[in-house]
Amino acid sequence: MSQRIPEESLPTELSPFAAVEAAYPAELNRVCEALLRGLPVMVEADKELTPYFYKCLRDRLKKDGKQFLYLDGRTAQEPPPGMPAPSMMATLIAQLRDAVRGAVRERIVVLPHLDLLTTSSGGLTSEAREVIPLLYENPEMVWVGFKDPSFAVPRVIENLFPHKESILGVGRDRLRYLITQRECRKFGRGLQPYALYKHVSGINAVRLRRLLGAITGEDYPANPKPAYAQLRSATLTGSLSVPELELHADIGGYAKVKQRLQQEILDVLAHKDTLSDPEAVKRVEALLPRGMIFWGPPGTGKTLFAKAMASSLGAAVQVVSGPELKSRWVGESEENLRQIFVRARQAAPSIIVFDELDSFASARGTYTGSGVEHSMVNQLLTEMDGFRKEELVFVVGTTNFVESLDPALLRPGRFEFQLCIPYPNSADRRAILSIYNQKLGLEMTERALDYAVKRTGDRVEGTGTRFSGDHIQALCRALARRRLREGAQGPTEAVDVERALTEFLDRPELTPMEERVVATHEAGHAVCALFCEHAPAIDRISIRGDLAGSLGHVQYADPAHRYVVTRGQLLDSICMLFGGREAEALLLDDLSLGSAHDLERATEIARELVEDLGMGGDGVPVRRFDAPGRQADRHALSDATRSTLEAAIQEVLAVQRARARDILQREKERVVALRDLLIERKVLDREAFTHLVPAPVAPKKEPALG
């Protein structure tokens, strides 16, 4: 466990002024030294901290004979009866004019509200234009200006202050001076600064004292979690909250993604909590990536994983939409970013999730908008660089197009942790379905679960995109709604899954003749696949227009070998693509236009074999003739070479077409049986046509040696 500080060494009482002295001694020293040298100083601090910090400055410099003039735009006298009170800005301008032109002795002029001079976007207000000449009129004046972290200060005002001091939160090494013995007892015996600090790192000393003083409960509790929970609740401003989402229990599948998050982030933080040596803690904190990119297709749970990570850390989450940050007004987009980071630091530990990060952080040179994106990226990096290592504030950017992000963002030290969250595989889909099956009380049978896993392995009907976690959730909710409408009490069967997926699809209404053509075409594809050695197994055949732009389709199982593709597999693919066309020619004595895409794809594969992969056979040099994106190179080839390539491509296509024709002629009865079954049932899963699958051929034995 982290080192405990004895209760006896903590103060018994602590006023807000004493707390400021204890929390910021180094900052106060630097500001005093600058003022004694005659340098104007700008202090960035929360509004509630400003008067206390000012008083500490004044008390320190009083012994040096320094006098202060505090200009806050308020008057000590009430206006005469019937006269309206002057505005704060008008009063401030009058006070400034008197201070600059009427001062007869050396004084330090304090401007506690520099934000009065700025607009929300960091520009100058109309009244501020009157103030600027006054600020620069007397170069001998020594100013102390206080700037709220939530507001940007225009450059013309910032240049007035050669010395700048930023006071955001409290340092961990000062925490032991900011909690009294009575307050410490609410968290157990002795102060654990590392356990407490992660909840208060972004809170200024004055607010921290207020929150600690409000902690209730028994002294020396056996479980200090309720006290920490009170503190955590008090630091959650606005709509911020800590999500309740368990990484392993509430998110199905994705074992590798969870393992990486656990090992590289959560386990490192858990290990840090066991350390007592401050130097060891600092070394571990330096290892943590503050910026993370979660990338992958839409709907795969990128934001969900960020929330689960936040829940494991007890961190507040801000989910920010990238497009919503952008504004038409100059400086307002950067101001929006600044406000988000201020809230995150005040509510630490916290995670900022920038959804659709690529909307404003695309690679430079690709911007098509007003150019504000470049300023937003710079502001984002500036804010991230401003974190202290001990502050638990993380930035997660989600995107569907990681390749479009500015490379400067992805270098180590910025968004160095990149996590791919792909479409779910069969194991992931099963785990996701199991979670929703339990949560929604679907009572799916094992057969229904197996069917749902297979059915969601291909494209989403009506869209052409693959099934994501969101699609699977939508399927389960549709099942739950149907059970509610029909008052179903029994288990959910496979037929219910199919109904939920397809009941409300707008399918084409085929005539009997059209059904016969489509069924023949798909039967040809399927029978060729059954007799191609390298073809994957068939999971489903449909002639109901399940996929957008397709009247029928054959759905294949995941291939056994996903990463190594052979010449035999590519040739089998061409043969299977010709199966639909050749089946029509065999059984219908006519051809439909349904083979257009098949021919296009078959030609692409044949051209790739010959021109890109050096697999064109005898007479074709083994080299790459056509690199992607370099179509012009092919036209530079000689006529003889081009003729050789075209002949080789034609040879590949002709051989595989003949092979498909031979398979279908030999297995004509099987094609007819499968076609008729498709016309009858419209959709076939693997079990429905098992009797048509040929028996596996035993491998030939090699002759014995010797």
Side-chain angles (χ1 to χ4, degrees):
M1 295 295 290
S2 59
Q3 183 182 16
R4 291 180 182 269
I5 297 174
E7 179 185 322
E8 297 76 21
S9 65
L10 303 177
T12 56
E13 295 293 336
L14 201 60
S15 69
F17 297 103
V20 172
E21 281 282 0
Y24 311 114
E27 291 86 345
L28 284 165
N29 285 337
R30 288 193 294 267
V31 173
C32 287
E33 290 173 3
L35 292 175
L36 289 173
R37 296 200 311 269
L39 294 177
V41 177
M42 178 189 290
V43 180
E44 182 180 24
D46 293 330
K47 284 287 185 186
E48 60 187 332
L49 181 63
T50 296
Y52 298 96
F53 194 89
Y54 157 67
K55 183 180 182 301
C56 292
L57 276 180
R58 187 187 63 188
D59 292 345
R60 282 185 171 216
L61 293 177
K62 187 179 295 183
K63 64 180 183 298
D64 294 298
K66 296 295 182 181
Q67 297 187 15
F68 288 79
L69 182 61
Y70 194 83
L71 305 183
D72 59 358
R74 292 183 295 181
T75 59
Q77 298 178 348
E78 292 290 332
M83 293 293 291
S87 69
M88 181 178 289
M89 199 66 214
T91 304
L92 179 61
I93 293 173
Q95 291 173 342
L96 270 173
R97 187 178 294 110
D98 292 341
V100 171
R101 298 175 180 173
V104 294
R105 61 184 183 277
E106 184 180 354
R107 289 183 297 183
I108 298 173
V109 181
V110 181
L111 301 173
H113 306 300
L114 284 178
D115 51 282
L116 286 177
L117 307 177
T118 67
T119 64
S120 60
S121 60
L124 288 171
T125 63
S126 56
E127 294 91 345
R129 300 181 188 283
E130 208 175 328
V131 172
I132 300 302
L134 291 173
L135 295 177
Y136 282 90
E137 185 171 317
N138 188 346
E140 300 300 322
M141 296 289 292
V142 179
W143 307 92
V144 177
F146 286 88
K147 167 192 175 298
D148 191 292
S150 302
F151 291 90
V153 172
R155 182 71 63 184
V156 67
I157 296 178
E158 189 175 341
N159 290 342
L160 184 68
F161 303 95
H163 184 90
K164 299 175 180 63
E165 198 69 45
S166 182
I167 303 174
L168 301 175
V170 294
R172 184 169 54 201
D173 59 331
R174 308 306 303 174
L175 188 59
R176 62 180 300 173
Y177 305 106
L178 299 176
I179 181 170
T180 64
Q181 295 179 15
R182 181 188 64 80
E183 295 157 353
C184 175
R185 290 194 285 269
K186 305 300 181 184
F187 299 96
R189 295 191 179 275
L191 172 64
Q192 289 184 276
Y194 296 114
L196 179 61
Y197 182 75
K198 67 181 181 181
H199 296 290
V200 298
S201 61
I203 301 174
N204 68 69
V206 175
R207 184 163 181 247
L208 175 61
R209 292 295 311 129
R210 190 179 300 120
L211 296 183
L212 289 174
I215 299 293
T216 60
E218 62 179 354
D219 290 347
Y220 309 118
N223 182 9
K225 287 185 178 179
Y228 284 113
Q230 289 184 54
L231 196 60
R232 170 80 283 196
S233 176
T235 57
L236 295 176
T237 59
S239 60
L240 293 181
S241 63
V242 178
E244 297 181 2
L245 192 69
E246 215 285 317
L247 178 63
H248 298 282
D250 295 328
I251 300 180
Y254 290 104
K256 290 184 178 179
V257 174
K258 293 176 181 176
Q259 181 183 21
R260 187 163 181 228
L261 263 182
Q262 186 72 47
Q263 292 180 348
E264 296 205 35
I265 305 296
L266 303 181
D267 287 351
V268 174
L269 286 167
H271 174 69
K272 187 196 75 167
D273 290 340
T274 66
L275 300 176
S276 58
D277 179 23
E279 292 303 318
V281 171
K282 289 180 180 179
R283 284 195 297 271
V284 171
E285 287 171 342
L287 301 177
L288 287 168
R290 300 299 168 154
M292 310 176 194
I293 297 291
F294 291 0
W295 63 277
T300 52
K302 297 180 287 294
T303 303
L304 200 65
F305 275 102
K307 289 183 176 180
M309 185 175 78
S311 183
S312 299
L313 301 177
V317 169
Q318 290 185 82
V319 180
V320 184
S321 173
E324 291 178 0
L325 286 173
K326 296 164 73 171
S327 171
R328 60 185 292 188
W329 305 110
V330 175
E332 192 166 284
S333 300
E334 297 89 322
E335 176 61 23
N336 293 338
L337 272 171
R338 190 180 299 107
Q339 296 281 3
I340 287 166
F341 277 87
V342 168
R343 288 197 298 269
R345 298 184 78 165
Q346 291 175 341
S350 62
I351 295 178
I352 307 171
V353 181
F354 286 105
D355 207 10
E356 301 179 64
L357 181 64
D358 51 281
S359 65
F360 70 88
S362 299
R364 279 166 285 191
T366 63
Y367 303 138
T368 57
S370 62
V372 69
E373 297 90 349
H374 185 66
S375 298
M376 292 177 69
V377 170
N378 289 339
Q379 184 66 42
L380 174 63
L381 297 177
T382 299
E383 296 292 342
M384 291 177 65
D385 291 341
F387 291 140
R388 291 189 293 266
K389 291 294 184 184
E390 63 265 27
E391 284 183 301
L392 285 186
V393 179
F394 298 93
V395 181
V396 175
T398 69
T399 178
N400 304 329
F401 310 102
V402 68
E403 64 278 1
S404 70
L405 293 177
D406 194 322
L409 286 174
L410 305 180
R411 72 166 177 79
R414 290 179 176 172
F415 287 93
E416 63 179 88
F417 183 89
Q418 298 171 35
L419 189 66
C420 175
I421 304 175
Y423 283 116
N425 59 29
S426 58
D428 299 332
R429 296 196 300 276
R430 182 178 294 276
I432 296 170
L433 284 163
S434 297
I435 286 177
Y436 288 117
N437 182 37
Q438 182 178 3
K439 284 185 176 181
L440 301 177
L442 301 179
E443 301 180 29
M444 296 177 72
T445 64
E446 197 63 30
R447 176 181 169 82
L449 190 60
D450 289 341
Y451 182 79
V453 171
K454 292 178 182 178
R455 191 68 174 78
T456 55
D458 200 8
R459 308 286 175 176
V460 180
E461 296 181 7
T463 66
T465 62
R466 290 183 60 184
F467 274 87
S468 66
D470 282 354
H471 289 114
I472 295 172
Q473 182 194 32
L475 165 63
C476 293
R477 290 166 61 191
L479 283 168
R481 289 194 298 271
R482 170 176 289 281
R483 289 172 64 84
L484 182 65
R485 288 197 307 269
E486 300 178 355
Q489 299 297 325
T492 298
E493 300 290 351
V495 65
D496 300 316
V497 175
E498 181 63 25
R499 287 174 64 191
L501 284 168
T502 61
E503 183 176 13
F504 298 108
L505 287 178
D506 185 15
R507 290 197 173 111
E509 296 291 336
L510 302 180
T511 65
M513 179 57 70
E514 289 173 326
E515 275 193 350
R516 187 179 183 84
V517 173
V518 176
T520 302
H521 188 99
E522 299 306 329
H525 283 313
V527 171
C528 281
L530 294 176
F531 288 89
C532 284
E533 178 185 359
H534 305 288
I538 298 172
D539 268 348
R540 183 172 179 269
I541 312 173
S542 170
I543 61 168
R544 292 196 308 190
D546 295 332
L547 297 182
S550 174
L551 298 177
H553 76 281
V554 178
Q555 177 182 329
Y556 299 97
D558 292 338
H561 305 287
R562 300 182 183 182
Y563 307 109
V564 177
V565 179
T566 65
R567 180 174 182 268
Q569 289 175 289
L570 294 177
L571 293 175
D572 280 1
S573 296
I574 298 175
C575 177
M576 291 153 54
L577 287 166
F578 274 118
R581 185 180 190 277
E582 294 306 312
E584 291 182 33
L586 177 65
L587 299 181
L588 302 178
D589 295 325
D590 201 357
L591 295 174
S592 72
L593 302 182
S595 301
H597 179 71
D598 296 336
L599 288 176
E600 179 183 355
R601 181 65 187 133
T603 305
E604 288 176 357
I605 297 174
R607 190 175 297 281
E608 185 178 4
L609 277 166
V610 173
E611 297 185 354
D612 295 348
L613 303 176
M615 298 179 182
D618 297 337
V620 181
V622 179
R623 54 161 285 195
R624 184 163 190 169
F625 289 91
D626 187 16
R630 296 172 58 192
Q631 296 293 333
D633 290 354
R634 190 169 182 275
H635 298 294
L637 300 174
S638 67
D639 291 342
T641 301
R642 285 203 300 273
S643 297
T644 300
L645 295 177
E646 291 297 335
I649 293 169
Q650 185 58 43
E651 176 70 14
V652 170
L653 293 172
V655 168
Q656 296 308 313
R657 180 189 172 198
R659 181 184 171 201
R661 183 167 57 245
D662 292 343
I663 291 174
L664 297 176
Q665 287 175 343
R666 186 179 71 244
E667 304 295 335
K668 182 176 180 180
E669 292 183 3
R670 206 181 301 264
V671 177
V672 171
L674 184 57
R675 178 199 64 187
D676 293 344
L677 195 60
L678 270 171
I679 292 174
E680 177 188 349
R681 300 191 186 179
K682 312 305 187 225
V683 177
L684 302 176
D685 60 15
R686 188 184 303 179
E687 294 180 0
F689 58 87
T690 302
H691 62 288
L692 298 175
V693 177
V697 179
K700 296 180 180 179
K701 293 185 178 180
E702 296 291 336
L705 297 176

